Amino acid sequence: MERIPILKMGPFLLVTIQIDLYDRLALTLENDLINMVSQTGARGVLIDISTVSIVDSFMGRILGNIASMSRIMDAETVVVGMQPAVAITLVELGLTLQGVYTALNVEKGMELLNNKLGDNLELDDEEEEDQDDRND
Amino acid sequence: MIVMTKDTMEIVREQDVVPFRNRVREFGTRIGMSLVNQTKLITAASELVRNMLKYASGGKVILEVISLNAKTGIRLTFKDEGPGIADIALAMRDGFSTGRSLGLGLPGAKRLVNEFDLKSNPGEGTTVTVIHWKHGR
């Protein structure tokens, strides 16, 4: 069965969608990604759609699902490289990709994920400090 | 109205969707439709063909290059013999779905194309016709 490869890079998972997704392939990707987040404890998922020419409501829903499911499992999702024509079409279709972070390209997307991870680490530190205070 | 090219595709399985979208793209490229307009038309077509598979277990699509008053465009006719739509006004409303989808398919497709026509009788199937002009108007 055809599958979209998922690469692990440090605390992140990377996916490049290079073909037109049909429904079953998209659902398999959703499933594979969530399993990978669970197995690897990844903190971020980056999905590159720069070669995807069509995002319809089904595909949009899959992207939204991936983001919501990942968030529940403590990982942020960023979708990068959307073509201008796809962005124009999505807005007219009425799909706003709520809850999905987007970035212009892979580089900016990685930066965004790193910042998110940094923010979370700082938060963790503060919590620890608070505990120290209490111990004093 | 003059029909310049005509083609018919049967859509019976999910795997038929990608070749169908490619066919629409070919038609768009042939008449010199811009990328944004092609993307809008193909996205609308994708929504409609998905509805056909989901609610009527398939049907057929007629693809035509048409010309009217010196304007060139593409007309797509989606015909199925499914259960039909009981309340068309409701089906055209954003966010309404009898399936478990976002309910954007029909109203979204209508917003993406220049002309949209839906005819349906319960028990007799549904026919959706869309036209998108080369320059998007």
Side-chain angles (χ1 to χ4, degrees):
Chain A
M1 197 180 117
E2 220 178 347
R3 268 201 146 80
I4 295 178
I6 302 169
L7 309 175
K8 183 177 179 299
M9 198 176 106
F12 306 130
L13 299 178
L14 311 182
V15 179
T16 303
I17 302 174
Q18 290 178 340
I19 50 167
D20 272 330
L21 286 182
Y22 52 90
D23 297 10
R24 198 156 313 138
L25 196 58
L27 288 170
T28 307
L29 174 67
E30 178 186 291
N31 199 35
D32 287 353
L33 258 177
I34 303 311
N35 283 331
M36 277 282 271
V37 169
S38 152
Q39 280 165 21
T40 62
R43 303 297 305 275
V45 176
L46 184 137
I47 304 173
D48 172 33
I49 59 164
S50 55
T51 55
V52 173
S53 52
I54 298 293
V55 176
D56 60 9
S57 67
F58 179 82
M59 175 73 189
R61 187 163 60 126
I62 295 286
L63 291 175
N65 284 354
I66 290 173
S68 318
M69 292 175 189
S70 304
R71 182 157 302 144
I72 293 172
M73 300 178 72
D74 199 21
E76 297 291 350
T77 301
V78 58
V79 171
V80 307
M82 186 181 292
Q83 292 178 12
V86 173
I88 293 169
T89 302
L90 271 185
V91 171
E92 270 183 40
L93 185 63
L95 207 67
T96 49
L97 291 185
Q98 270 179 340
V100 183
Y101 290 110
T102 50
L104 212 52
N105 52 38
V106 176
E107 212 171 357
K108 292 213 162 76
M110 286 304 283
E111 208 174 290
L112 194 132
L113 282 180
N114 272 317
N115 287 342
K116 294 268 166 224
L117 192 59
D119 291 349
N120 288 342
L121 288 180
E122 268 169 41
L123 271 179
D124 290 346
D125 287 348
E126 275 166 30
E127 275 166 25
E128 275 167 30
E129 273 167 33
D130 286 349
Q131 277 176 356
D132 289 346
D133 290 346
R134 254 174 267 145
N135 288 338
D136 293 338
Chain B
M1 188 176 308
I2 309 161
V3 176
M4 293 150 82
T5 319
K6 188 172 173 175
D7 194 6
T8 309
M9 281 182 94
E10 298 279 338
I11 309 285
V12 287
R13 309 175 302 155
E14 196 195 289
Q15 282 88 332
D16 297 334
V17 174
V18 172
F20 164 68
R21 293 201 299 215
N22 292 340
R23 206 72 226 276
V24 179
R25 186 176 295 286
E26 264 172 48
F27 270 62
T29 312
R30 199 184 302 167
I31 65 165
M33 192 181 261
S34 73
L35 184 63
V36 172
N37 283 313
Q38 276 188 36
T39 307
K40 286 182 183 179
L41 177 63
I42 298 166
T43 306
S46 186
E47 299 291 344
L48 295 171
V49 94
R50 192 185 300 291
N51 278 353
M52 217 163 68
L53 279 171
K54 189 170 167 187
Y55 298 104
S57 38
K60 67 173 180 179
V61 187
I62 304 164
L63 300 91
E64 291 163 307
V65 173
I66 55 167
S67 178
L68 178 74
N69 303 332
K71 280 198 298 189
T72 309
I74 294 174
R75 179 166 68 186
L76 303 175
T77 309
F78 301 79
K79 276 188 186 186
D80 72 55
E81 286 166 6
I85 300 171
D87 187 339
I88 295 177
L90 190 60
M92 289 305 296
R93 200 189 291 166
D94 266 315
F96 175 82
S97 175
T98 56
R100 275 176 306 167
S101 67
L102 298 172
L104 287 175
L106 283 178
K110 187 180 180 184
R111 279 192 292 269
L112 288 172
V113 294
N114 296 134
E115 285 172 45
F116 183 99
D117 179 66
L118 191 155
K119 287 193 174 64
S120 184
N121 284 315
E124 289 170 23
T126 304
T127 302
V128 182
T129 309
V130 302
I131 298 175
H132 204 60
W133 301 109
K134 181 179 160 181
H135 298 295
R137 59 198 148 89

